[in-house]
Amino acid sequence: MSWQSYIDDHLMYEISEGHSLTSAAIVGHDGSVWAQSSSFPQLSPVEVEKLLDGFEENSSLPSNGLFLGGAKYMVLQGDPGIVIRGKKGPGGCTIRKTLSAFVIGLYDEPCTPGECNIAVEKLGEYLYEQGI
């Protein structure tokens, strides 16, 4: 299975009637894009570095915010070292860290935070279990 099919088949599908993520990507810890939807914003090297640091115990993300493609997200909650969840207006993001990559999902209404969380975290957990 190609990396792009993970995006197309496991993240950019209709979660429930009329609900789907707005964009998604799998990005290596080094900033390389493994696969992405056409509308996923380009991440800067600094954003990827801060994202990686954000999974550390004493992260500054909760106080400074998370930036993805220049857009600022307020960090809400997550599982330390595993998941970061953010909010921006009527939408937000879920980021699941694996051994070598980030699975990132962005959403806007009518998609709910819970729907995004389930889609991203399920794929991220699978990739983690596969040693990726």
Side-chain angles (χ1 to χ4, degrees):
M1 182 178 282
S2 74
W3 290 115
Q4 191 61 45
S5 65
Y6 283 109
I7 297 296
D8 299 338
D9 300 337
H10 299 282
L11 294 175
M12 297 302 297
Y13 66 96
E14 189 170 314
I15 297 168
S16 63
E17 189 174 331
H19 299 201
S20 61
L21 300 180
T22 56
S23 62
I26 301 173
V27 178
H29 291 174
D30 63 357
S32 61
V33 177
W34 295 9
Q36 66 182 22
S37 62
S38 61
S39 60
F40 192 81
Q42 182 175 345
L43 303 181
S44 74
V46 171
E47 289 174 334
V48 174
E49 181 181 324
K50 289 185 184 269
L51 180 57
L52 189 56
D53 291 344
F55 282 93
E56 298 300 320
E57 189 174 329
N58 296 320
S59 168
S60 63
L61 286 184
S63 58
N64 296 332
L66 166 68
F67 288 85
L68 299 172
K72 184 177 182 179
Y73 292 80
M74 178 176 56
V75 176
L76 298 177
Q77 62 173 336
D79 298 321
I82 301 170
V83 175
I84 294 173
R85 299 180 187 106
K87 183 82 172 142
K88 177 181 173 282
C93 66
T94 303
I95 304 161
R96 172 57 161 95
K97 182 181 177 198
T98 71
L99 296 172
S100 54
F102 303 107
V103 178
I104 305 170
L106 306 179
Y107 70 92
D108 270 319
E109 292 180 338
C111 187
T112 67
E115 291 169 329
C116 181
N117 295 345
I118 289 168
V120 170
E121 292 175 36
K122 186 176 179 180
L123 177 58
E125 183 65 23
Y126 171 77
L127 294 176
Y128 183 85
E129 289 172 355
Q130 300 305 307
I132 298 169

